[in-house]
Amino acid sequence: MDALAHLDGEIATAKRLGRYRTYLNLERRAGTASRAIWHSGEGEREIVVWCSNDYLAMSGHPAVVGAVTEAVRTVGLGTGGPRSISGTSVYHHALEAELASFHGKPRALLFSTGFGANEAALSVLGKKLPGLVVFSDELNHASIIHGIKSGGARKRIFRHNDVGHLRRLLAEDGPEVPKLVVFESLYSMEGDFSPAAEIVAAAEEAGALTYLDEVHAVGVYGATGSGYAEELGLSDRITVIMAGFGKGLGGSGGYIAGPEAVVDAVRSFATSFVFSTSLAAPVVAGALASVRHVRRDPTQREAVRARSAQLKAALRERGIPLVSADSHVVPVLVGDPHLCKRVSEHLLTDHGYYVQPVNAPTVPEGTERLRVTPTSRHTADDVTAFAHALDQVWSDLALPRA
């Protein structure tokens, strides 16, 4: 087999199916989010970004920028190795203590990425708990799926947000079988919340541990911004909470918070943690500043939720179909990969709005969509103008209305 020709063929197939990914060359400006400079082959152009996960615009917040700048000046950029060699700093200790307090857990542990946090924690639980059965929502993130597979535990898939199905699966294994229920609070491609209280109750009745991914909810929900579990009063009933800094907290990296035994086992046995260079100290310093700000100031989460509600109302008024209207994430249903790309292209070139198309295999075929994310820095006028532009593109392409 001509290996390189085979790879070329795979890429050609992805393009034919509308699944080939393209990436805009953007220059984000801390002081002017959600605006950015698009560097294209035709020159530079200012655009408005409508698909950023930086929900609270914390990446450019003065408190975060100041903390990162001060840490770079004080300790430099990197950490010099993994946590076990020289990669643990006063910043790492301070942030882990802050996160444990944030979620009301005994201990927390940092990772270089959110993907790495899920992979490390779930693989260790699968390997170190003999006979473990993992019950996983069918729409759980790829990092969760990868972590469960790496751990080698038996896996049972329950239908998305179907608590009745979960209960039936849990009942098929006796009380002596160790069980772990893994789910997300907010499914970012659907924009919908999980029935978290019902899932936790089902897990408790079956004697199962719970593992909740709060990546897309941290910062935006809860009285202090620690996530959807806090908003529902469930934090103390969930065994392990996983989240990260790349969304509402505006940085990068991930973490888990939970019991001493779980966190210490992951710290001790997760290969990807033990052998990975730790997060750069200035990045950790920025994350610490972000968490502290979010805990005491609800202004930005109130703003993003208000802008999201305004956008959903405007799109409903125009008959633009939504996958879900649950959360601050607003997925607009197109249903065809090539049309989805065309909507995105028209918004960008004709109106200066960037929304990345989301096609299969990220979402099922026939459910291709635009994942629109208002942020705390979008204004009410921004929302009105974007809704008008999307409405015009919808008409130009003769797409079906809700």
Side-chain angles (χ1 to χ4, degrees):
M1 180 180 70
D2 186 332
L4 299 183
H6 178 78
L7 293 177
D8 284 336
E10 291 289 311
I11 295 296
T13 299
K15 290 180 177 178
R16 177 174 54 81
L17 296 175
R19 299 180 179 181
Y20 185 72
R21 303 174 193 268
T22 58
Y23 306 101
L24 256 61
N25 184 6
L26 296 180
E27 181 182 349
R28 301 174 69 219
R29 302 286 178 86
T32 60
S34 57
R35 273 70 180 163
I37 305 300
W38 173 30
H39 293 262
S40 72
E42 299 177 359
E44 298 180 2
R45 178 182 177 183
E46 183 178 88
I47 61 172
V48 182
V49 179
W50 281 95
C51 56
S52 172
N53 288 335
D54 190 9
Y55 303 132
L56 306 184
M58 286 305 299
S59 65
H61 192 279
V64 173
V65 173
V68 172
T69 303
E70 178 60 28
V72 169
R73 288 176 177 152
T74 303
V75 301
L77 179 59
T79 53
R83 295 286 296 273
S84 58
I85 298 178
S86 63
T88 299
S89 72
V90 292
Y91 299 102
H92 293 77
H93 273 282
L95 180 54
E96 286 172 343
E98 188 79 25
L99 292 169
S101 169
F102 194 32
H103 292 285
K105 300 297 180 187
R107 193 166 170 186
L109 188 65
L110 296 175
F111 298 85
S112 298
T113 65
F115 193 108
N118 274 333
E119 190 280 330
L122 291 168
S123 66
V124 167
L125 291 173
K127 292 173 182 175
K128 296 298 181 180
L129 292 176
L132 180 70
V133 180
V134 180
F135 299 82
S136 178
D137 187 288
E138 67 177 333
L139 294 188
N140 276 341
H141 191 265
S143 59
I144 292 175
I145 296 168
H146 185 74
I148 295 170
K149 286 182 177 178
S150 296
R154 184 159 63 93
K155 179 172 66 172
R156 306 295 305 277
I157 307 299
F158 61 93
R159 290 187 292 272
H160 178 54
N161 283 347
D162 188 335
V163 181
H165 189 214
L166 171 62
R167 285 182 183 275
R168 290 193 294 274
L169 294 179
L170 286 166
E172 291 175 4
D173 288 290
E176 74 285 353
V177 176
K179 305 176 184 70
L180 175 68
V181 177
V182 184
F183 63 109
E184 301 180 35
S185 58
L186 168 54
Y187 290 84
S188 68
M189 291 302 162
E190 305 299 303
D192 64 346
F193 292 116
S194 63
E198 291 84 354
I199 290 175
V200 170
E204 289 173 340
E205 291 165 12
L209 304 175
T210 46
Y211 184 104
L212 177 63
D213 184 322
E214 287 264 45
V215 160
H216 288 276
V218 161
V220 184
Y221 299 95
T224 66
S226 72
Y228 194 54
E230 181 188 22
E231 184 139 321
L232 298 181
L234 293 173
S235 297
D236 62 342
R237 295 170 60 191
I238 294 166
T239 312
V240 179
I241 293 176
M242 174 271 167
F245 309 107
K247 279 73 177 178
L249 297 174
S252 65
Y255 64 89
I256 60 170
E260 177 77 28
V262 172
V263 174
D264 204 26
V266 175
R267 184 196 70 86
S268 300
F269 304 123
T271 304
S272 58
F273 175 80
V274 172
F275 294 98
S276 290
T277 297
S278 63
L279 276 170
V283 174
V284 178
L288 178 60
S290 182
V291 173
R292 287 174 172 170
H293 175 82
V294 164
R295 292 186 76 173
R296 69 173 184 268
D297 188 347
T299 304
Q300 283 143 289
R301 59 179 162 273
E302 291 170 355
V304 71
R305 292 171 74 164
R307 293 289 78 77
S308 176
Q310 179 193 355
L311 178 61
K312 286 181 285 193
L315 297 184
R316 280 194 297 263
E317 182 181 316
R318 291 164 171 80
I320 305 296
L322 304 180
V323 177
S324 168
D326 272 9
S327 72
H328 67 285
V329 177
V330 185
V332 174
L333 181 63
V334 179
D336 177 273
H338 300 288
L339 284 174
C340 198
K341 283 181 173 286
R342 287 183 66 190
V343 174
S344 176
E345 290 165 359
H346 278 277
L347 284 171
L348 180 63
T349 57
D350 299 345
H351 301 278
Y353 296 138
Y354 174 42
V355 187
Q356 184 74 7
V358 181
N359 291 343
T362 304
V363 296
E365 289 185 38
T367 69
E368 291 81 5
R369 65 201 65 177
L370 302 176
R371 181 179 173 276
V372 185
T373 52
T375 72
S376 62
R377 293 293 294 274
H378 287 100
T379 66
D381 288 344
D382 287 337
V383 172
T384 299
F386 175 77
H388 177 75
L390 184 58
D391 182 59
Q392 182 176 330
V393 172
W394 218 260
S395 294
D396 291 344
L397 297 177
L399 294 173
R401 303 270 175 172

